[in-house]
């Protein structure tokens, strides 16, 4: 089992009522499922954790923490990093839970490495909140039209220090909300797309639902293109590694020729070469399905090895061996990307009904109906679009530590898909640093993955 990236989440005073340690004992699994009654805050906890782990300064992460009623939140990472935030309630708004500032901090093995007191921009353009030191050297927060006379300047304090530490120490985090919108600092906002802005500005007024649908289609297109580019880069990288293997193979041949008079006449297992030629035929045919290689016909080579003349057979084997070794090296370099693409295509097609996706290096991904006619991505159902969007980002997230937070994954998924979902996600991320955290009411998910369920138990109750 892969190690989790987030090992624990602790929150105090959620909505002024709930305090949770998740889990109560041990650590979260690499595919944890939060379970609790409606209104107990599991979706809110996941959203807060997403905002706490996200560093971007233009996506409202700190505002979301500021506006949600809770007292404190801490997230433990398995690498020893602790991320925390405390909301300081305004004295005149304690009952309503309104805050006056956030204290954000990052610890490594119990030692503070970054701190930042954050306040929202004041609605009053004539002034803003600033930090000062009083006569005793204590930090105070004061509303003023003037810049602070003694600005804070320490190695561990401030926005720049905090954001840099957050970017360096935390995994890339994604969240798939209950409205089926996928958010992450690493994903561009589909509402920023020129096409969507053009539709909203120049064409006839659209219903809100039409714009939501179009935004979802653009988001899916972004995800598919991102996955296709990722596979293409991996294929090029693998091909380059394969070329290095070819170079090494021929370098070894030349070294033997120069250093040993018997090199050319050394015996070669003809039967073994025959088997390798057959394997190369099969392998190149498989790779050709995705244009990762050209299919090779080895019939003539096999004939040259099958000649009854021993000297000719030996000569053919000696000449073919370095070529076969170089091909095997090149194909071995493509094994991983082929397995990933093949698994991805097969997995997605297991979910689709009367449709299937395909992939070619030269064309990227495409989708066809059961009769082979091409379809637009918008022809997929909302559930199919949701799954494909998620799988695309999960695939491209294999290269770095990633956490995928998924709120109510059962939405838009039938019972069969619910049974397949977690198993499929874990299969496609095997061998990578990817963790999934779900919030769910699905009896199918809960029953099939009891060992992964984390129940919300209120410490204040």
């Amino acid at each position: 089992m892969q190690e989790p990236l987030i090992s624990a989440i602790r929150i105090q005073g959620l909505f002024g009522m709930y305090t949770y340690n998740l889990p109560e004992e041990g650590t979260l699994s690499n595919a944890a499922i939060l379970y609790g009654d409606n209104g107990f805050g599991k979706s809110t906890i996941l959203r807060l954790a997403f905002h706490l782990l996200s560093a971007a300064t233009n996506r409202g992460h700190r505002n979301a923490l500021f506006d949600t009623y809770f007292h404190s939140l801490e997230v433990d990472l398995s690498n020893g990093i602790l991320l925390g935030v405390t909301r300081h309630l305004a004295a005149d708004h304690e009952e309503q839970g309104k805050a006056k500032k956030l204290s954000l901090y990052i610890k490594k093995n119990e030692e503070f490495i970054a701190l930042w007191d954050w306040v929202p921009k004041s609605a009053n353009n004539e002034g803003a909140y600033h930090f000062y030191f009083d006569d005793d050297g204590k930090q105070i927060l004061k509303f003023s039209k003037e810049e602070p006379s003694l600005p804070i300047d320490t190695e561990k304090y401030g926005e720049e220090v905090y954001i840099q530490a957050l970017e360096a120490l935390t995994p890339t985090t994604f969240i798939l909300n209950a409205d089926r919108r996928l958010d992450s600092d690493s994903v561009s906002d589909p509402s920023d797309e020129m096409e969507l802005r053009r539709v909203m500005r120049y064409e006839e007024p659209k219903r809100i639902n039409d714009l939501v649908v179009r935004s979802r289609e653009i988001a899916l297109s972004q995800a598919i293109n991102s996955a296709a580019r990722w596979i293409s880069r991996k294929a090029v990288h693998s091909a380059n590694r394969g070329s290095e293997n070819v170079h090494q193979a021929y370098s070894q041949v030349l070294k033997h020729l120069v250093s040993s008079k018997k090199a050319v006449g050394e015996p070669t297992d003809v039967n073994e070469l025959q088997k390798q030629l057959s394997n190369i035929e099969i392998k190149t045919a498989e790779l050709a399905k995705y244009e990762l290689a050209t299919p090779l016909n080895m019939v003539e080579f096999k004939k040259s090895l099958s000649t009854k003349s021993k000297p000719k057979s030996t000569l053919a084997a000696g000449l073919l061996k370095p070529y076969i070794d170089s091909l095997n090296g090149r194909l071995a370099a493509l094994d991983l990307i082929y397995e990933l693409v093949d698994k991805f295509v097969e997995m997605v097609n297991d979910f689709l009904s009367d449709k299937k996706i395909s992939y070619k290096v030269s064309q990227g991904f495409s989708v066809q109906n059961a009769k082979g006619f091409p379809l637009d991505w918008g022809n997929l159902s909302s559930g199919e679009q949701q799954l494909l969007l998620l799988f695309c980002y999960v695939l491209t997230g294999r290269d770095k530590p990633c956490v995928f937070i998924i709120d109510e994954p059962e939405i838009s998924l039938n019972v069969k898909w619910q049974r397949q979902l977690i198993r499929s996600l874990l299969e496609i991320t095997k061998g990578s640093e990817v963790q999934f955290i779900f919030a769910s009411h699905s009896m199918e998910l809960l029953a099939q993955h009891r060992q992964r369920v984390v129940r919300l138990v209120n410490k204040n109750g």
Side-chain angles (χ1 to χ4, degrees):
M1 182 179 292
Q2 295 157 212
E3 288 294 319
L5 295 166
I6 295 176
S7 56
I9 301 173
R10 295 177 296 280
I11 190 165
Q12 292 186 348
L14 179 62
F15 312 138
M17 297 184 291
Y18 305 117
T19 293
Y20 300 116
N21 293 337
L22 306 173
E24 292 189 274
E25 296 180 356
T27 61
L28 296 171
S29 73
N30 63 332
I33 307 173
L34 303 192
Y35 172 72
D37 292 336
N38 282 328
F40 276 37
K42 57 186 180 299
S43 297
T44 302
I45 293 170
L46 292 185
R47 285 197 299 273
L48 292 174
F50 165 72
H51 291 300
L52 183 60
L53 268 68
S54 300
T57 57
N58 60 348
R59 293 212 172 199
H61 297 308
R62 265 57 67 184
N63 279 305
L65 294 169
F66 186 86
D67 292 338
T68 305
Y69 188 5
F70 69 97
H71 293 156
S72 66
L73 170 69
E74 289 189 331
V75 175
D76 291 337
L77 304 184
S78 56
N79 59 6
I81 296 296
L82 181 150
L83 308 169
V85 57
T86 299
R87 290 177 76 251
H88 300 278
L89 298 181
D92 54 342
H93 290 298
E94 288 187 4
E95 291 186 6
Q96 293 82 14
K98 293 183 179 180
K100 63 179 180 180
K101 73 170 183 175
L102 301 177
S103 288
L104 298 137
Y105 54 90
I106 302 175
K107 291 182 179 180
K108 173 78 172 180
N109 299 326
E110 296 303 317
E111 180 182 349
F112 285 101
I113 60 176
L115 305 98
W116 179 25
D117 282 330
W118 181 92
V119 291
K121 293 180 179 179
S122 172
N124 186 342
N125 295 325
E126 296 182 355
Y129 281 99
H130 295 297
F131 291 103
Y132 294 81
F133 289 115
D134 62 15
D135 293 338
D136 298 324
K138 183 179 179 182
Q139 179 190 332
I140 59 174
L141 179 69
K142 189 168 72 173
F143 189 82
S144 171
K145 297 180 181 180
E146 306 293 333
E147 288 295 321
S149 56
L150 183 60
I152 293 171
D153 184 18
T154 69
E155 293 182 356
K156 296 182 179 179
Y157 185 87
E159 177 179 0
E160 184 176 355
V161 173
Y162 177 83
I163 294 298
Q164 286 180 353
L166 194 62
E167 289 175 336
L169 299 172
T170 58
T172 301
T173 309
F174 298 78
I175 185 167
L176 185 63
N177 293 301
D179 62 3
R180 302 303 89 182
R181 175 188 172 91
L182 187 138
D183 284 329
S184 172
D185 289 351
S186 64
V187 176
S188 60
D189 187 343
S191 63
D192 289 340
E193 286 286 325
M194 290 297 295
E195 182 181 352
L196 187 59
R197 292 205 297 269
R198 180 183 60 78
V199 168
M200 295 177 69
R201 183 172 181 180
Y202 295 115
E203 294 188 4
E204 295 180 4
K206 302 287 184 180
R207 293 179 302 165
I208 291 298
N209 186 59
D210 292 336
L211 296 177
V212 170
V213 169
R214 187 63 190 129
S215 179
R216 186 169 60 210
E217 291 174 359
I218 291 172
L220 177 58
S221 178
Q222 289 174 344
I224 291 167
N225 291 335
S226 176
R229 288 194 300 270
W230 183 86
I231 294 170
S232 181
R233 287 196 301 269
K234 289 290 183 183
V236 170
H237 177 70
S238 298
N240 289 338
R241 282 175 46 216
S243 297
E244 292 173 6
N245 292 334
V246 173
H247 178 76
Q248 291 171 1
Y250 278 94
S251 295
Q252 290 297 320
V253 172
L254 185 60
K255 185 176 179 181
H256 282 299
L257 287 172
V258 172
S259 63
S260 174
K261 293 180 181 179
K262 297 181 179 181
V264 176
E266 286 179 353
T268 302
D269 188 335
V270 173
N271 289 332
E272 176 61 24
L273 290 183
Q274 292 270 20
K275 290 179 183 177
Q276 290 187 37
L277 288 171
S278 296
N279 289 335
I280 288 171
E281 275 190 309
I282 295 170
K283 190 65 179 176
T284 55
E286 290 176 343
L287 292 168
K289 181 166 60 173
Y290 305 115
E291 294 182 346
L292 294 171
T294 302
L296 298 176
N297 188 326
M298 295 297 181
V299 172
E300 292 302 321
F301 291 157
K302 290 178 183 178
K303 284 182 180 178
S304 65
L305 292 175
S306 301
T307 179
K308 294 180 180 179
S309 170
K310 185 69 174 176
K312 289 183 179 180
S313 175
T314 301
L315 177 61
L319 291 171
L320 278 173
K321 188 175 188 312
Y323 174 65
I324 291 173
D325 288 344
S326 69
L327 283 177
N328 283 331
R330 185 176 297 174
L331 297 177
L334 290 165
D335 273 346
L336 178 59
I337 187 61
Y338 168 78
E339 290 172 4
L340 283 173
V341 176
D342 196 53
K343 186 182 297 182
F344 179 87
V345 170
E346 180 181 346
M347 197 174 295
V348 172
N349 284 334
D350 279 346
F351 283 95
L352 300 182
S353 301
D354 297 324
K355 312 175 191 76
K356 68 175 184 178
I357 68 163
S358 58
Y359 174 81
K360 302 285 185 184
V361 169
S362 63
Q363 302 170 12
F365 285 101
S366 58
V367 60
Q368 303 85 33
N369 65 15
K371 294 185 177 181
F373 293 110
L375 300 172
D376 292 328
W377 297 110
N379 295 130
L380 299 180
S381 70
S382 59
E384 291 169 335
Q385 290 185 27
Q386 168 198 329
L387 279 171
L388 189 51
L389 176 80
L390 177 60
F391 278 121
C392 282
Y393 281 115
V394 167
L395 177 67
T396 59
R398 289 181 52 90
D399 287 343
K400 54 187 180 296
C402 286
V403 174
F404 285 86
I405 295 171
I406 304 174
D407 190 13
E408 299 188 46
E410 61 269 20
I411 293 177
S412 300
L413 303 185
N414 58 40
V415 172
K416 176 187 173 185
W417 287 5
Q418 291 178 39
R419 291 171 182 165
Q420 292 177 241
L421 180 63
I422 292 181
R423 174 172 49 82
S424 297
L425 290 172
L426 291 175
E427 184 68 21
I428 203 169
T429 54
K430 188 180 294 182
S432 64
E433 293 184 271
V434 176
Q435 180 184 20
F436 300 96
I437 304 179
F438 306 89
S440 178
H441 293 111
S442 167
M443 289 299 108
E444 289 295 332
L445 289 179
L446 297 171
Q448 285 198 337
H449 303 279
R450 292 192 197 96
Q451 76 281 9
R452 300 183 182 279
V453 175
V454 177
R455 188 177 179 87
L456 272 65
V457 179
N458 184 18
K459 297 299 180 183
N460 288 342

